[in-house]
Amino acid sequence: AQTVTQSQPEMSVQEAETVTLSCTYDTSESDYYLFWYKQPPSRQMILVIRQEAYKQQNATENRFSVNFQKAAKSFSLKISDSQLGDAAMYFCAYNRDMRFGAGTRLTVKP
Amino acid sequence: EAGVVQSPRYKIIEKKQPVAFWCNPISGHNTLYWYRQNLGQGPELLIRYENEEAVDDSQLPKDRFSAERLKGVDSTLKIQPAELGDSAVYLCASSLGFWGVDEQYFGPGTRLTVT
């Protein structure tokens, strides 16, 4: 069975600084999709960014970008110019069986 | 555009009682997901529907859980009888396409407490 591992239960970043959240996964497939979802406190989960495994170029969405290393099965999320509204739980997910990691709680300090 | 609607938002029941959760996905979305999320953990897929067909229910505890998606639109998830370990948030999500390649839109969830 595929696994998704987020090794950082909690992370903290100063407002306006950059932070990187880690995610590794295990799969024998070559074609798949990876996602980062954000779950703010008491609010609904929303998509942050998506990466297609067959694309070599790393996905970017404004202040959010990923470092996708297919051979290493690594998929990290970089948040630049962190804002107070970025504080949330962040989940890495793999589409083949819709498996989510355990999450990383991000705190943003003013 | 209305988002994914779930009801009830909160439910408290005694163990061994039945409970049902309802989900109305975004109009036109073909795939519907039910997840269970325990406190401090990531969502765990229970069942995935593509239209009205359940295409992945490998994590659904079939001895006590059941689900249906009538006419490929609304869906109901039922637990009977509930156990203490079923206390969790039950999330419904929907996506436009298949195979989990599209963005999922999540509902607010139903927080179940079994006493």
Side-chain angles (χ1 to χ4, degrees), chain A residues 47-90:
Chain A
L47 178 69
V48 175
I49 200 165
R50 181 182 81 160
Q51 176 75 44
E52 298 157 61
Y54 66 86
K55 288 189 175 180
Q56 293 186 340
Q57 186 173 7
N58 289 323
T60 61
E61 286 288 341
N62 300 312
R63 297 183 295 107
F64 299 87
S65 62
V66 300
N67 183 4
F68 174 51
Q69 302 290 328
K70 190 173 184 179
K73 297 179 183 175
S74 171
F75 182 59
S76 61
L77 175 69
K78 185 172 81 171
I79 306 174
S80 304
D81 185 25
S82 296
Q83 300 175 0
L84 296 178
D86 295 333
M89 284 290 292
Y90 286 82

Side-chain angles (χ1 to χ4, degrees), chain B residues 18-83:
Chain B
V19 65
F21 314 123
W22 176 78
C23 174
N24 181 234
I26 291 174
S27 178
H29 279 198
N30 297 298
T31 302
L32 183 147
Y33 310 76
W34 280 106
Y35 294 91
R36 175 170 58 191
Q37 185 175 24
N38 291 312
L39 188 63
Q41 298 183 20
E44 174 193 7
L45 181 69
L46 293 174
I47 190 167
R48 174 167 64 95
Y49 284 94
E50 291 183 355
N51 295 319
E52 66 275 7
E53 181 182 1
V55 296
D56 185 354
D57 62 356
S58 57
Q59 300 300 313
L60 189 72
K62 297 181 183 62
D63 56 337
R64 298 183 300 107
F65 285 64
S66 64
E68 62 181 5
R69 188 183 185 197
L70 299 176
K71 299 181 180 178
V73 183
D74 294 6
S75 178
T76 302
L77 178 69
K78 298 178 181 178
I79 308 175
Q80 182 171 12
E83 298 179 351

